[in-house]
Amino acid sequence: MSQLLTGKTIVVMGVANERSIAWGITQSLHGQGAKLIFTYRKDRSLEKLKKLLEENRIEPKLVVQCDVSDDASIQAAFDKIGTEAGVIHGVVHSLAYADKEGLSGEFSDISRAGYMTAQDASSYSLIAVAREAKKWMTEGGSIVTQSYIGAERVVKNYNVMGVAKAALEASMRYLAEDLGKHGIRVNAVSAGAVRTLSAKGVAGFNEILSTTEERAPLRRNIDSAEVGDATMFLLSDLSRGVTGEVLHVDAGMHILGL
Ligand SMILES: NC(=O)c1ccc[n+]([C@@H]2O[C@H](COP(=O)([O-])OP(=O)(O)OC[C@H]3O[C@@H](n4cnc5c(N)ncnc54)[C@H](O)[C@@H]3O)[C@@H](O)[C@H]2O)c1
């Protein structure tokens, strides 16, 4: 049976452990025959990633360190990736960071430094990654980032990350326009809440899960496999006419008013 991503080389950024959304995405991409390159931030993540890949019999084309808060690190990572792969067809940007103090309490108390840190790692990083990836995306391709409804509406405690996600979605649209002339599409998946390492940093996260189960049109939460399949669709030629889009994978939560 032919697979949707046969012959495509895709860079996956953001696997920290088996709960990571990027791990759900990895499984969907692998299932469709993609050749995968991974970036990790810390040695701790590298050990976990290697173990996960081994256990799941996924042979990576390359694994490379990349700190997205550092332009030199992004440049070095994509130079290595490009030199090894020649051409890349897709990038999964599944990373974000905010100091814990910005993820609870009063929004107006966010410090300048806390605001900048969240913007830097969670939003600007997409622009810097797209710039470096573009050099090797010579056959066109697709870049997909991960957002959340807190970009569009106020979600209690999501605070500084809500503003970073709003900037991320706007950056995604500007990149879609800019890179479209090179045949590169740029989209976002807006996932519902998934219990991951990062999610633990958001105060009251369990309440979000229980409210979703009660009120979402599908009356349940989503999982990272569902986010993985939607991301895979956006990386595949099935979505060849789609760019600048935010695809909600949230059991319908985003359509609710009260
Ligand atoms: N979990 C959720 O409920 C949820 C919902 C919607 C969107 N998202 C988004 O999904 C993405 C992945 O998060 P997750 O929930 O899988 O959590 P996670 O903790 O598993 O993954 C976050 C990743 O970001 C990486 N990261 C942070 N700062 C970095 C830096 N400076 N350089 C390189 N990597 C860095 C971490 O190493 C980690 O791999 C994030 O953008 C997150 O905001 C999560």
Side-chain angles (χ1 to χ4, degrees):
M1 202 175 76
S2 93
Q3 293 174 304
L4 292 169
L5 298 175
T6 303
K8 307 253 191 219
T9 299
I10 296 177
V11 181
V12 178
M13 311 180 77
V15 179
N17 59 35
E18 72 284 358
R19 286 175 180 265
S20 294
I21 286 178
W23 181 246
I25 296 169
T26 297
Q27 289 175 304
S28 297
L29 301 183
H30 176 69
Q32 292 301 326
K35 285 184 210 136
L36 299 174
I37 293 172
F38 294 88
T39 72
Y40 65 94
R41 182 190 186 190
K42 296 192 172 148
D43 290 343
R44 205 169 55 221
S45 304
L46 175 62
E47 291 317 308
K48 290 207 174 117
L49 176 62
K50 275 188 181 160
K51 198 160 165 253
L52 275 175
L53 292 172
E54 257 172 47
E55 282 168 4
N56 289 273
R57 297 199 185 144
I58 298 174
E59 185 82 44
K61 201 175 162 93
L62 183 68
V63 179
V64 48
Q65 205 269 337
C66 182
D67 179 347
V68 297
S69 292
D70 176 359
D71 284 338
S73 174
I74 300 174
Q75 241 169 42
F78 276 88
D79 281 353
K80 234 185 229 173
I81 289 168
T83 307
E84 171 76 25
V87 177
I88 56 178
H89 304 95
V91 179
V92 174
H93 175 277
S94 182
L95 20 96
Y97 179 81
D99 294 328
K100 216 171 167 176
E101 70 192 17
L103 298 169
S104 65
E106 309 222 344
F107 178 72
S108 55
D109 284 343
I110 291 166
S111 68
R112 190 177 295 267
Y115 183 95
M116 295 305 185
T117 299
Q119 288 284 339
D120 184 51
S122 317
S123 168
Y124 183 75
S125 61
L126 178 68
I127 302 169
V129 162
R131 184 170 57 239
E132 293 307 317
K134 181 181 85 171
K135 296 176 187 166
W136 306 99
M137 295 178 80
T138 47
E139 297 174 2
S142 168
I143 299 174
V144 184
T145 188
Q146 299 296 318
S147 192
Y148 181 60
I149 189 67
E152 302 166 65
R153 294 167 206 274
V154 173
V155 175
K156 199 173 167 203
N157 294 321
Y158 201 60
N159 297 3
V160 76
M161 192 55 89
V163 183
K165 291 298 190 194
L168 176 71
E169 291 186 9
S171 303
M172 176 278 288
R173 285 186 285 273
Y174 276 87
L175 285 168
E177 198 289 321
D178 189 18
L179 303 191
K181 55 185 174 290
H182 304 295
I184 301 171
R185 301 182 292 111
V186 190
N187 292 286
V189 167
S190 183
V194 180
R195 200 187 296 282
T196 63
L197 200 62
S198 294
K200 277 192 199 154
V202 181
F205 184 76
N206 285 342
E207 221 177 289
I208 299 179
L209 290 176
S210 55
T211 306
T212 305
E213 206 169 301
E214 218 174 88
R215 301 193 41 221
L218 293 180
R219 305 294 192 279
R220 64 173 178 82
N221 283 289
I222 55 112
D223 61 28
S224 60
E226 291 167 316
V227 183
D229 284 352
T231 303
M232 183 273 291
F233 160 74
L234 288 172
L235 287 160
S236 78
D237 289 343
L238 286 182
S239 61
R240 61 197 173 278
V242 181
T243 195
E245 185 70 296
V246 178
L247 175 58
H248 294 85
V249 182
D250 63 352
M253 215 36 201
H254 69 286
I255 66 170
L256 296 184
L258 276 180

